[in-house]
């Protein structure tokens, strides 16, 4: 077996059986090796930002890493923005980057670049394999590193000769470095803290926002009456009717300050203290009240779900909370489409257990309000803030959970960055409904231009925020990339098209004119 | 004036009056400042790879830098692949990246990243401004650094508070660090070398391939009979009828070896020794004959055009060469379209003085043969090898030379990476004719899979190179992004559509079914 075959087999041995790929010449042996390992699925993407965003979506939903396959430094570079997002979401990804053969690097051929340099800002772990015989071991360590709590991007750089030279054998999976348990002492300390009479909230992240972790948080809530909060862009949360209610921190600095007013202590469960997304002249970066006390029930690398369960036990909380989000749907609106009415329609018509890969930006604010009491669903937002993630994220989520409907509500400005993801949706026949909010604007920037106090903006400045000239036609773009598409200009049209999309399997795009 | 205004005015003072932009919240003050400097033109792009590729095209044609405006680390990351290409082309670019306000960085908000780390692999110069009062000076130094021979990417990182805080005054242009003159001693040494009876060729790059430099090379050719060569992907060359003939080195390693066989000495004029683009098992990386001697008439940072003129004088060469490329057009082919017949049609119908922003990949090989004796034109290829550059490059070239027709022959696989460039072509009404070679394949990889000796490739591997499922429809994609488009399935259809495109002003896309 050659190094490439040892790689693919090792990945499969370690439970990595999904590879998002945009390979080139230096990765041809890895491509050729795909057929030797039947359990490895390879998904071709037309652009590397789709590769890495899909790996993020897959990792968040599957709870285990996918692999990427990228072509040299520039191929990695094209995937960096969504790796930044994945880093912020603590998504496990085995990020495989081909390189020139070891002996070819000295010639500085045109595609040579500093791959480690490109990888460093987004990677929790980096390794360059030096020979075909170490590839299997390096790959096993890469999977272990990606899976290490709280999860991260493990970049494995593979020179072409490590693929084509002879290897010995594939490696087996290494011991998993799961989240560290929180000591009973630390749990007891928090339990005591809750008796100090201060107005307390819990800020949840990671495993505290879904499954057993969220249920355990609900027990604490039921016993103590403490509010449960999550970050604006918490990477993976379970939301909607029947779920434990968690309040989402708003986006803008002054809203956060208002929202947190009066809170005396915040218990962090896998989260960090809330800060402003951007700085604004005269507005605070630190958004908690000045005298608010912070303590950690669980740091990000620790077992948040286990710590919450232990805390609930220590508090003698009930075995299950009866505080649940009620199902509240507002009915189908009529008449003009806007972000609010579109959000109501989505909330009304989306079936149980959907996954939202959401990058609706300004249109997302009313959408998230309506979704908060809609049918139970999973919410995956743009955690790292680098726009152009939603469509790829939907690709990965749909491949991780093929039996679930994936909804991708997306601003038109952001969707333009990685529109190539539509092609992979068609190619893999993924059950995704994309909703493009077509406001023909970087709408958030029109708000931010005012908020940062930038004066003197004239026609030239405002044109930098405006997408009217020319108007993108998302129906044609989608059809050009192989995805069935339609346009809705009224609530009635959108409701009818969206309802039809919910009944069908496969990719579909609806351009909502707001 | 604030820091942002001092920046824009300084850039204009330094001759930088074109800015390709994809800004975000942290750059809003820079956007607002655009209107205060009428001479600065701002071109909005939907994706940062378009921003940086356009800056490359502009710099190559204008011979001076454009500015970029990018949003934080991830915005820069999206532009890195085309900055890699620009680095390899030695294109001057003032690469401006916004950052969080200096005091906000400590909070590690979600969009915070290691911007210097992202920038280092592509930048000849990096500076982070520390206050609004240094922005003007830093910007003047950035322009100087970008323009320093042989030209490069100067990255200027500007925290948001350096934009909104008060500045003193704009800066004036610093002394240009032009190419270093080559000493008469060095010229004489080469002149003597040419008398040693060895079979000699000149390998030209940079200013040696256009204008006065190419004419001077022609004088040397006329006097000595030496062959003139250029790299496969020489960044900027003047080609076609009436021009001094220069032979382009072929792409594949074994072709290069054949091509260079028997050459005893190579005089480098701004170029490096020819090496293989990729490594292949059992094939050489170093492609010149083992005993071939190399010497430098001009290093990349030196004045290649001046050195060639001095050498021609030292050799008593004629004032002008009479060796010229003849005009040879093959007429319009009929019947089935393929890369060869499409290339013949382009060669036949393109008017004088067009600019080719060319990324035709496998289809480019016959095209370049037919173009070599077509009407005189400028050739801008994919110098750095990171595909997805041609469409943005055409945007920049058209803005640098609005009176010239720009042709963008592009492989369909590569065009998918930065298709968003079409929108900027429509928005700015650029006179560009895009020809998409639709072979529904990463065709080069089907060749390379064989050449690297990768065996065992089955259906899964081959599907990674195949773009049939689904078929991209470039007419719809272009129309969706605002560009008039048509499809040609025969030579007659293509000739008719291409001839019409040559008669009109403005963007136009033709999808050639090959």
């Amino acid at each position: 077996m050659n190094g490439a075959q040892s790689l693919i087999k090792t990945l499969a041995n370690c439970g990595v059986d999904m590879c998002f790929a945009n390979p080139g010449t230096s990765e041809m042996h890895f491509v050729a090796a795909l057929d030797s390992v039947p359990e490895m699925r390879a998904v071709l993407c037309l652009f590397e930002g789709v590769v890495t965003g899909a790996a993020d979506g897959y990792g968040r939903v599957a709870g285990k890493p996918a692999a990427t396959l990228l072509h040299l430094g520039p191929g990695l570079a094209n995937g960096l923005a969504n790796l930044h997002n994945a880093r912020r979401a603590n998504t496990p990804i085995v990020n495989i980057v081909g390189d020139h053969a070891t002996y070819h690097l000295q010639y500085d051929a045109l595609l040579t670049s500093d791959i480690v340099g490109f990888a460093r800002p987004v990677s929790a772990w980096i390794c360059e394999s030096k020979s075909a015989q170490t590839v299997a071991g390096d790959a096993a360590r890469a999977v272990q590193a990606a899976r290490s709590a709280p999860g991260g991007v493990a970049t494995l750089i593979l020179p072409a000769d490590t693929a084509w030279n002879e290897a010995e054998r594939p490696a087996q999976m290494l011991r998993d470095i799961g989240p560290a348990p929180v000591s009973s002492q630390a749990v007891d300390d928090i339990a005591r803290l809750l008796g100090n009479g201060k107005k307390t909230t819990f800020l949840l992240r990671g495993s505290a926002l879904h499954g057993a972790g969220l249920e355990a948080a609900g027990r604490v809530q039921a016993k103590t009456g403490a509010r449960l909060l999550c970050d604006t862009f918490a990477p993976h949360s379970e939301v909607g009717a029947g779920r434990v209610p968690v309040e989402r921190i708003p986006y803008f600095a002054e809203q956060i300050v208002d929202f947190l007013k009066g809170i005396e202590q915040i218990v962090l469960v896998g989260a960090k203290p809330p800060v402003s997304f951007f700085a604004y002249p005269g507005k605070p970066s630190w958004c908690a009240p000045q005298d608010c006390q912070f303590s950690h029930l669980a740091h990000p690398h620790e077992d948040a779900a286990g710590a919450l369960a232990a805390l609930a036990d220590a508090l003698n909380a009930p075995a299950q909370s009866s505080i649940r989000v009620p199902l509240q749907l507002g009915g189908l609106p009529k008449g003009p489409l806007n972000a609010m009415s579109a959000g109501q329609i989505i909330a009304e018509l989306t079936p149980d257990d959907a996954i939202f890969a959401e990058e609706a930006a300004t249109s997302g604010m009313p959408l998230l309000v309506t979704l908060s009491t809609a049918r139970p669903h999973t919410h995956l937002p743009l955690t790292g803030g680098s726009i152009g993630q939603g469509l790829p994220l939907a690709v990965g989520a749909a491949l991780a959970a093929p039996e679930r409907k994936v909804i991708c509500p997306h601003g038109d400005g952001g969707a333009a960055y990685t529109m190539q993801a539509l092609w992979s949706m068609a190619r893999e026949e993924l059950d995704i409904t994309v909703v493009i909010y077509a406001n023909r604007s970087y709408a958030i920037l029109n708000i931010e231009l005012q908020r940062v106090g930038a004066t003197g903006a004239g026609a030239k400045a405002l044109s930098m925020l405006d997408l009217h000239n020319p108007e993108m036609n998302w129906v044609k773009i989608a059809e050009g990339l192989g995805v069935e598409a339609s346009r809705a200009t009224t609530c009635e049209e959108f409701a009818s098209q969206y309802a039809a999309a919910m009944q069908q399997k496969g990719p579909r795009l609806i351009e909502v004119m707001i």
Side-chain angles (χ1 to χ4, degrees), chain A:
Chain A
M1 87 174 9
N2 63 24
Q5 289 158 341
S6 82
L7 172 82
I8 308 288
K9 186 62 184 158
T10 297
L11 291 175
N13 287 348
C14 298
V16 177
D17 50 15
M18 178 70 69
C19 176
F20 299 98
N22 187 259
T25 296
S26 42
E27 294 78 37
M28 280 301 101
H29 282 82
F30 297 110
V31 169
L34 286 170
D35 288 279
S36 68
V37 183
E39 54 269 50
M40 180 62 72
R41 181 164 179 183
V43 173
L44 180 63
C45 304
L46 294 180
F47 174 69
E48 295 89 346
V50 182
V51 168
T52 53
D56 186 358
Y58 181 90
R60 288 199 215 180
V61 173
K64 66 175 194 172
T68 64
L69 185 57
L70 301 172
H71 182 45
L72 304 175
L76 169 61
N78 276 332
L80 286 172
N82 275 336
L83 288 175
H84 165 87
N85 287 327
R87 173 173 80 93
R88 290 301 189 176
N90 294 123
T91 306
I93 293 177
V94 177
N95 183 42
I96 298 175
V97 187
D99 197 2
H100 285 309
T102 50
Y103 61 83
H104 193 65
L105 287 168
Q106 64 186 311
Y107 299 109
D108 194 36
L110 291 173
L111 262 173
T112 310
S113 67
D114 177 5
I115 301 182
V116 171
F118 281 135
R120 194 177 289 116
V122 298
S123 302
W125 181 96
I126 303 177
C127 171
E128 293 176 276
S129 287
K130 295 302 182 193
S131 91
Q133 300 201 332
T134 70
V135 166
D138 294 338
R141 294 192 299 125
V143 176
Q144 185 185 49
R147 294 174 62 97
S148 294
V153 176
T155 297
L156 179 59
I157 301 167
L158 297 179
D161 50 344
T162 70
W164 71 55
N165 282 338
E166 199 60 17
E168 288 169 331
R169 56 179 177 274
Q172 298 303 314
M173 189 170 181
L174 294 170
R175 191 170 58 80
D176 227 20
I177 306 176
V182 173
S183 70
S184 58
Q185 180 63 54
V187 171
D188 289 345
D189 287 350
I190 297 292
R192 251 193 313 280
L193 199 72
L194 297 176
N196 67 8
K198 287 194 173 169
K199 199 171 165 193
T200 303
T201 71
F202 286 79
L203 179 49
L204 312 177
R205 209 167 192 274
S207 68
L209 285 170
H210 48 89
L214 181 59
E215 285 297 312
R219 294 174 62 202
V220 175
Q221 180 184 45
K223 178 71 180 185
T224 65
R227 289 166 73 189
L228 304 180
L229 312 183
C230 73
D231 294 326
T232 319
F233 299 107
H236 175 188
S237 53
E238 289 181 348
V239 181
R243 297 266 163 78
V244 169
V246 177
E247 302 167 66
R248 190 173 294 275
I249 294 176
Y251 176 73
F252 291 119
E254 59 273 30
Q255 295 173 330
I256 307 178
V257 169
D258 267 3
F259 183 81
L260 300 178
K261 199 168 278 172
I263 293 178
E264 293 167 314
Q265 63 187 358
I266 294 180
V267 178
L268 299 169
V269 188
K272 297 195 301 182
V275 297
S276 172
F277 200 86
F278 289 108
Y280 305 92
K283 296 197 172 86
S285 290
W286 182 266
C287 293
Q290 280 308 318
D291 53 357
C292 180
Q293 300 290 312
F294 285 89
S295 52
H296 290 83
L297 175 61
H299 288 277
H301 70 289
E302 294 177 323
D303 179 9
L308 283 166
L311 179 63
D313 291 344
L315 294 168
N316 289 315
Q320 218 189 8
S321 172
S322 60
I323 307 172
R324 298 288 160 172
V325 174
L327 181 67
Q328 290 182 338
L329 300 168
L332 286 175
K334 304 217 177 289
L337 259 178
N338 52 44
M340 177 60 79
S341 57
Q344 289 171 332
I345 291 166
I346 292 172
E348 183 76 24
L349 297 175
T350 304
D352 270 9
D353 207 28
I355 299 172
F356 280 80
E358 182 261 316
E359 191 179 322
T362 47
S363 302
M365 298 176 191
L367 174 66
L368 293 193
V369 172
T370 62
L371 282 180
S372 65
T373 60
R375 295 182 187 84
H377 61 275
T378 297
H379 181 244
L380 313 177
L382 175 60
T383 299
S386 178
I387 64 175
Q389 188 200 36
L391 295 171
L393 202 70
V395 168
L399 282 158
E403 73 294 350
R404 297 172 68 183
K405 194 79 178 175
V406 175
I407 316 294
C408 182
H410 216 304
D412 53 355
Y417 287 70
T418 46
M419 50 178 69
Q420 303 91 340
L422 294 165
W423 185 84
S424 294
M425 292 182 193
R427 184 173 178 92
E428 303 294 331
E429 300 174 4
L430 302 178
D431 192 17
I432 300 170
T433 299
V434 177
V435 177
I436 299 288
Y437 286 90
N439 60 13
R440 312 305 192 198
S441 168
Y442 291 126
I444 186 75
L445 296 184
N446 279 299
I447 299 170
E448 295 286 51
L449 185 69
Q450 305 308 314
R451 285 170 38 80
V452 299
T455 56
K460 205 155 54 167
L462 294 177
S463 78
M464 291 294 105
L465 319 180
D466 187 274
L467 305 180
H468 277 94
N469 172 28
E471 293 208 351
M472 279 183 275
N473 181 322
W474 280 96
V475 174
K476 286 193 175 181
I477 292 169
E479 289 175 353
L481 291 163
V483 169
E484 180 189 350
S486 57
R487 176 177 283 183
T489 56
T490 64
C491 282
E492 289 78 359
E493 284 175 11
F494 180 47
S496 151
Q497 292 169 20
Y498 192 80
M502 293 305 102
Q503 294 306 316
Q504 77 189 58
K505 270 268 194 188
R508 168 92 185 243
L509 181 144
I510 305 173
E511 183 178 26
V512 171
M513 310 302 288
I514 60 172

